[in-house]
Amino acid sequence: MSDKIRHEGKVESIDGEHIAVRIIQRSACTSCKLAKSCLTSESKVKVVDVWTQETGRFYVGQDVMVEVTGKIGALAVVLGFVMPTILVIATVILTLFITAHVPALYVEEPANEAVAALLGLGVLVPYYIILYIMRGNIRRKVTFSIMPLC
């Protein structure tokens, strides 16, 4: 079984080493292992950023195939969905524990639940700021390859 996730699309724009490809969703997405958590399976049209030094081989409107390995797709799912969920749940549980058991930080119920909820959501702000700062490193790891279709 192939470890590649492939989507057909059309080149929407080319700018330097960046190619924007409009993905055309096919019903084959339903058989993909990552379809439930992959953003391309939620909508009929998505734009994927492909970074390549071979932009001269492509032109706007060209039919292409973009692919990514399943391992890289899984990394994207972990960074986009799994880690934020773990951070929120861990923060809420830790806050509830601390506000109930640490005398200096004690908060009456139900206010401690509100504090836990706000901190749980608030932990996402630095997480996504860190992801944004590290987007260059992530882009080098989560890369799509592109091939022209005949």
Side-chain angles (χ1 to χ4, degrees), residues 73-84:
L75 173 64
V77 169
V78 167
L79 290 175
F81 299 103
V82 176
M83 285 301 296

Side-chain angles (χ1 to χ4, degrees), residues 51-64:
W51 298 88
T52 180
Q53 295 179 351
E54 301 176 351
T55 55
R57 295 178 38 204
F58 303 97
Y59 57 89
V60 175
Q62 181 178 14
D63 291 325
V64 294

Side-chain angles (χ1 to χ4, degrees), residues 41-133:
S41 67
E42 293 177 2
S43 177
K44 295 189 187 250
V45 176
K46 291 286 183 181
V47 176
V48 174
D49 295 322
V50 180
W51 298 88
T52 180
Q53 295 179 351
E54 301 176 351
T55 55
R57 295 178 38 204
F58 303 97
Y59 57 89
V60 175
Q62 181 178 14
D63 291 325
V64 294
M65 176 75 71
V66 292
E67 74 177 16
V68 66
T69 65
K71 182 179 176 183
I72 299 300
L75 173 64
V77 169
V78 167
L79 290 175
F81 299 103
V82 176
M83 285 301 296
T85 302
I86 290 171
L87 282 172
V88 169
I89 292 171
T91 302
V92 168
I93 291 171
L94 186 62
T95 302
L96 287 172
F97 179 81
I98 289 173
T99 58
H101 294 93
V102 177
L105 299 173
Y106 180 78
V107 178
E108 292 284 331
E109 286 189 17
N112 69 333
E113 294 172 359
V115 169
L118 289 173
L119 287 176
L121 292 175
V123 76
L124 294 176
V125 173
Y127 176 75
Y128 284 113
I129 288 172
I130 290 168
L131 277 184
Y132 181 77
I133 291 169

